[in-house]
Amino acid sequence: MIVDYNAEPLVQVKDLCKYFQVGRHATLKAVDGVSFNIYRGETVGLVGESGCGKSTAGRCLIRLYEPTSGQVLYDGKDITKLSRQEKKEFCHKVQMIFQNPYASLNPRMTVKEIVGEGLKLQGKSNEEIEAKVEQLLKTVGLNKDHMSRFPHEFSGGQRQRIGIARALSVDPEFIICDEPISALDVSIQAQVLNMLNELQDNLGLTYLFIAHDLSVVKYLSERVIVMYLGTVVETATSEELYSNPMHPYTKALLSSIPEADPDKAQANRRIPIKGEISSPINPKNCCRFASRCEFATERCFNEMPAAREITPGHVVACHLMDDVK
Ligand code: SF4
């Protein structure tokens, strides 16, 4: 699908913050001033280590969490200020595929009930639901016989397919895929990724693809956003990010991807990320990566780096970029 980058973005995230109060004096800043756009028909990868705030940001986009501050616009409208009718439409247009297909399906419901739940809420008749569920199961590579079975009768890959059929049941435009393959066996990860790709082509879907691993989003995403401890550190097209990473954290993440070609593997120096990810509770207003960065200076521990556009569409938040013309 061709993406029109001159059109208004389908999703606009503006200075989004999501804080959680932990005790009386502590604030966990899960998402802290994150901004990005997603265009219609695009797949945007949102990547970072576990605990960086990527899933929390995804949940704010679908209103599973109310933002502490900032704005999320969908199709130009603030999602916290929708009328009742608009809210109903938004719930259909935006869907989520969850990380754990073992936990995200109700074990007491049949596949027909799970996939048809949204249709039932839309007031569809039993015949209509049955016909649509059958068609959806076919779309995700399952069949009519699976309708009366329960989630425990399926493998992990099949359960994720059921989760995808459920998301598709209400004809969404935008799907947030929250690490949809990380709980699956490696042998079936590619099948699910290929299916998501095909569905996008056939149905014109827009994806936000959340992953902890840059290698997963490489072939899927037009653009990639790298998050570290609640903040966005680098955004670029996939091509640019993988060929010319600029933020020290992105470089380290990329260097940790195993390389099949032995010559390339030898040429690529592995950049270890020292220490543990710092706590997101009451973080200092400085570069969040400073305690683990091999280039950190005193300034990095005292001043939050501003995001700078280095080349069109390639935005980096690092003090080292001050010297890049
Ligand atoms: Fe490293 Fe400083 Fe850049 Fe942060 S701002 S990534 S600590 S060089």
Side-chain angles (χ1 to χ4, degrees):
M1 191 166 162
I2 295 167
V3 179
D4 181 2
Y5 287 103
N6 294 316
E8 185 183 43
L10 181 64
V11 181
Q12 297 174 63
V13 178
K14 299 182 177 181
D15 207 12
L16 179 72
C17 296
K18 179 63 190 170
Y19 301 162
F20 299 93
Q21 208 55 44
V22 186
R24 246 201 262 165
H25 304 293
T27 306
L28 188 154
K29 297 191 171 180
V31 177
D32 198 14
V34 163
S35 300
F36 58 86
N37 293 332
I38 303 172
Y39 292 83
R40 215 173 263 278
E42 196 182 26
T43 297
V44 172
L46 185 59
V47 180
E49 281 168 289
S50 142
C52 73
K54 55 192 190 304
S55 290
T56 306
R59 278 157 200 252
C60 288
L61 264 58
I62 195 171
R63 295 200 64 188
L64 282 177
Y65 290 147
E66 288 301 317
T68 305
S69 63
Q71 257 191 330
V72 178
L73 305 187
Y74 186 83
D75 223 355
K77 287 187 181 141
D78 187 327
I79 64 166
T80 60
K81 295 185 178 134
L82 300 177
S83 67
R84 216 178 153 147
Q85 180 57 27
E86 286 170 336
K87 241 186 237 172
K88 217 170 147 189
E89 285 166 16
F90 176 78
C91 290
H92 294 157
K93 286 178 184 169
V94 183
Q95 290 290 304
M96 191 153 188
I97 298 170
F98 294 90
Q99 177 178 8
N100 189 346
Y102 298 90
S104 64
L105 304 178
N106 187 333
R108 281 183 288 275
M109 286 168 81
T110 63
V111 169
K112 184 185 155 190
E113 286 167 338
I114 292 167
V115 178
E117 205 177 9
L119 299 164
K120 200 172 171 187
L121 290 172
Q122 284 180 342
K124 298 272 193 276
S125 70
N126 196 34
E127 290 72 32
E128 286 172 314
I129 293 174
E130 188 143 342
K132 179 91 187 216
V133 172
E134 187 183 337
Q135 178 227 319
L136 286 163
L137 291 180
K138 208 170 148 197
T139 306
V140 298
L142 297 171
N143 62 57
K144 197 181 169 186
D145 299 339
H146 292 126
M147 267 204 254
S148 54
R149 299 204 200 157
F150 290 88
H152 72 268
E153 298 177 64
F154 295 90
S155 67
Q158 286 174 319
R159 281 183 222 190
Q160 196 53 289
R161 286 169 191 267
I162 296 166
I164 294 169
R166 173 176 60 185
L168 294 177
S169 68
V170 286
D171 299 323
E173 299 176 326
F174 174 49
I175 300 184
I176 299 165
C177 306
D178 187 6
E179 306 221 31
I181 59 163
S182 61
L184 302 180
D185 199 88
V186 178
S187 61
I188 41 174
Q189 289 186 352
Q191 288 176 18
V192 174
L193 287 182
N194 288 337
M195 189 179 70
L196 288 170
N197 238 344
E198 271 174 38
L199 289 171
Q200 181 171 47
D201 287 345
N202 297 338
L203 305 173
L205 297 168
T206 303
Y207 291 142
L208 176 67
F209 197 97
I210 299 172
H212 61 266
D213 180 347
L214 269 168
S215 64
V216 171
V217 294
K218 185 172 184 180
Y219 300 102
L220 219 70
S221 313
E222 273 84 17
R223 289 185 303 122
V224 178
I225 298 163
V226 182
M227 275 186 80
Y228 187 82
L229 213 61
T231 61
V232 171
V233 296
E234 186 159 11
T235 306
T237 62
S238 290
E239 212 186 334
E240 170 74 4
L241 192 96
Y242 289 91
S243 60
N244 185 27
M246 298 188 99
H247 194 281
Y249 177 59
T250 314
K251 287 184 184 179
L253 274 186
L254 277 173
S255 79
S256 66
I257 298 176
E259 177 56 68
D261 180 339
D263 292 336
K264 277 192 192 165
Q266 214 168 30
N268 293 349
R269 179 177 76 97
R270 189 162 196 279
I271 307 167
I273 307 179
K274 59 180 186 187
E276 294 290 318
I277 192 164
S278 332
S279 167
I281 295 175
N282 294 345
K284 251 183 91 183
N285 195 24
C286 66
C287 174
R288 302 273 161 88
F289 189 55
S291 61
R292 302 172 85 188
C293 179
E294 59 178 322
F295 306 105
T297 62
E298 205 186 321
R299 184 183 174 201
C300 304
F301 288 94
N302 292 306
E303 191 186 321
M304 176 79 96
R308 282 193 49 197
E309 189 165 40
I310 308 304
T311 54
H314 193 163
V315 179
V316 187
C318 170
H319 291 311
L320 293 175
M321 298 302 122
D322 287 359
D323 301 327
V324 178
K325 295 283 174 258

